[in-house]
Amino acid sequence: MARDKIALIGSGQIGGTLAHMIGLKELGDVVLFDIAEGVPQGKALDIAESSPVDGFDSKLTGANSYEAIEGARVVIVTAGVPRKPGMSRDDLLSINLKVMEQVGAGIKKYAPDAFVICITNPLDAMVWALQKASGLPAKKVVGMAGVLDSARFRYFLADEFNVSVEDVTAFVLGGHGDTMVPLVKYSTVAGIPLPDLVKMGWTSQARLDEIVDRTRNGGAEIVNLLKTGSAFYAPASSAIAMAESYLKDKKRVVPVAAHLNGEYGVKDMYVGVPVVIGDKGVERIVEIELAGKDKEAFDKSVAAVQGLVDACKKIAPDLL
Ligand code: A3D
């Protein structure tokens, strides 16, 4: 059986980490792509030179032309520019929107059968634009955010309770960013919902609220510490989990930015919801009933994503 080919569009902090992880996990051969000359080639060679030490077989190459991604089974997109001081959210949106148009055209031409995972921010709008620009079926194009947001929530909870991260599950809905909706009653330690743990005296409601808040601001916390960029290890791990579920048809149930067409009362938008990922892409959208404060928070989050999508439509009306 030939090895799967995985294309990484964008060879920056996350792209390089993804390539290294794919090698270490022997998930397939890697093509690193970037517009910066030498960077994808240099990272590919550097990681390839680590392969004899770590004992993995994976062919790693770097490229500046889209032909190199031909036939990829998975494409992970991190291409774009970060928000710089003085740059508005709309400036960032219009720059990265153009990037998504280029990337979408490249995928359409050379990897139309791939499962595509978008990571570029602003996530929920960029994955929407990438699906439009690539013309791929919506169930084959997803955004990575929920796995990362719920991983952060799980980590903070495990730390709070002094238990293994493996025994903590978390449920996060909504758009990526400060409007995300961590659902406390569906988050558990070994199956025990968090509200029960409060009753059992494991933590207080006030502590739980602080942890939810820290989760919502998890990205900003890392940016403030690093000063020169944003998180890349945990985002890369999260995208790898999604790629692995597709490549191995694991049918994992994970929160991703998925295309909604009526589910949760949302039409033609990407919003973070739990889905099943198997070898057909998004095989099922898990639709839970939301009520009260959770529904309010979800609707607020959807409205924020809608605002970004409307801005995209204004900048690039021909994407529709
Ligand atoms: P960075 O290290 O800047 O890498 C981005 C790469 O994209 C650079 O190497 C650029 O040269 C390249 N690039 C720019 N324009 C193009 C183009 N037109 N075609 C191909 N490549 C191009 O960033 P990073 O790896 O740290 O982050 C990548 C993206 O992920 C950013 O948009 C971040 O905001 C985003 N991000 C999202 C999350 C989520 O949870 C959704 C988390 C962390 C980062």
Side-chain angles (χ1 to χ4, degrees):
M1 200 170 74
R3 284 203 289 261
D4 287 320
K5 178 165 165 179
I6 301 169
L8 308 175
I9 313 293
S11 305
Q13 298 278 52
I14 302 179
T17 309
L18 285 168
H20 196 194
M21 289 188 69
I22 292 165
L24 289 170
K25 287 180 158 253
E26 289 196 326
L27 284 182
D29 292 337
V30 178
V31 175
L32 278 149
F33 172 95
D34 206 289
I35 48 167
E37 282 175 26
V39 172
Q41 292 84 353
K43 290 200 178 182
L45 182 60
D46 189 11
I47 297 167
E49 287 168 356
S50 78
S51 65
V53 183
D54 285 311
F56 63 80
D57 289 299
S58 172
K59 191 162 178 281
L60 290 119
T61 44
N64 302 111
S65 100
Y66 275 102
E67 279 157 49
I69 74 164
E70 183 151 27
R73 263 196 85 197
V74 170
V75 178
I76 307 179
V77 179
T78 59
V81 300
R83 193 160 150 194
K84 300 195 182 84
M87 194 190 263
S88 76
R89 223 183 154 96
D90 283 354
D91 293 340
L92 177 76
L93 189 87
S94 68
I95 295 170
N96 283 351
L97 186 58
K98 285 206 183 71
V99 174
M100 290 306 108
E101 288 185 276
Q102 290 165 14
V103 175
I107 294 173
K108 184 183 204 155
K109 186 159 181 197
Y110 293 107
D113 297 321
F115 179 59
V116 179
I117 302 169
C118 180
I119 307 184
T120 303
N121 270 322
L123 192 267
D124 307 277
M126 290 304 105
V127 62
W128 176 88
L130 186 62
Q131 190 272 325
K132 299 279 177 216
S134 66
L136 263 60
K139 65 175 187 186
K140 298 292 281 294
V141 182
V142 294
M144 187 294 295
V147 177
L148 172 64
D149 295 332
S150 62
R152 286 180 173 147
F153 195 25
R154 288 172 64 194
Y155 170 70
F156 299 148
L157 288 169
D159 197 39
E160 169 76 3
F161 299 136
N162 197 20
V163 298
S164 165
V165 288
E166 286 184 52
D167 296 319
V168 182
T169 63
F171 201 106
V172 176
L173 281 178
H176 183 52
D178 44 18
T179 63
M180 79 177 78
V181 188
L183 286 190
V184 164
K185 71 173 174 206
Y186 290 121
S187 305
T188 73
V189 174
I192 308 165
L194 296 182
D196 290 8
L197 291 167
V198 173
K199 279 188 213 143
M200 287 155 61
W202 276 43
T203 187
S204 64
Q205 188 57 47
R207 251 324 269 151
L208 209 51
D209 292 345
E210 274 171 28
I211 292 174
V212 164
D213 221 46
R214 189 174 177 198
T215 304
R216 281 211 184 95
N217 297 309
E221 185 177 0
I222 304 277
V223 168
N224 289 337
L225 289 166
L226 293 180
K227 297 192 179 68
T228 54
S230 50
F232 51 101
Y233 294 114
S237 295
S238 305
I240 293 287
M242 293 162 66
E244 210 168 355
S245 191
Y246 173 79
L247 289 167
K248 298 183 179 169
D249 193 24
K250 281 172 74 88
K251 305 201 192 292
R252 290 202 56 195
V253 185
V254 281
V256 308
H259 186 263
L260 300 184
N261 205 6
E263 299 89 353
Y264 289 93
V266 176
K267 266 221 141 40
D268 191 26
M269 258 194 345
Y270 274 84
V271 181
V273 293
V275 304
V276 176
I277 296 182
D279 70 351
K280 290 176 192 64
V282 172
E283 297 187 350
R284 181 176 203 167
I285 290 175
V286 183
E287 201 174 354
I288 58 157
E289 211 169 281
L290 292 172
K293 261 179 39 194
D294 292 339
K295 169 106 180 66
E296 238 171 70
F298 182 77
D299 289 346
K300 196 171 144 211
S301 185
V302 169
V305 178
Q306 180 75 61
L308 291 173
V309 168
D310 288 347
C312 288
K313 287 181 182 170
K314 233 196 242 159
I315 300 165
D318 44 325
L319 252 189
L320 296 171

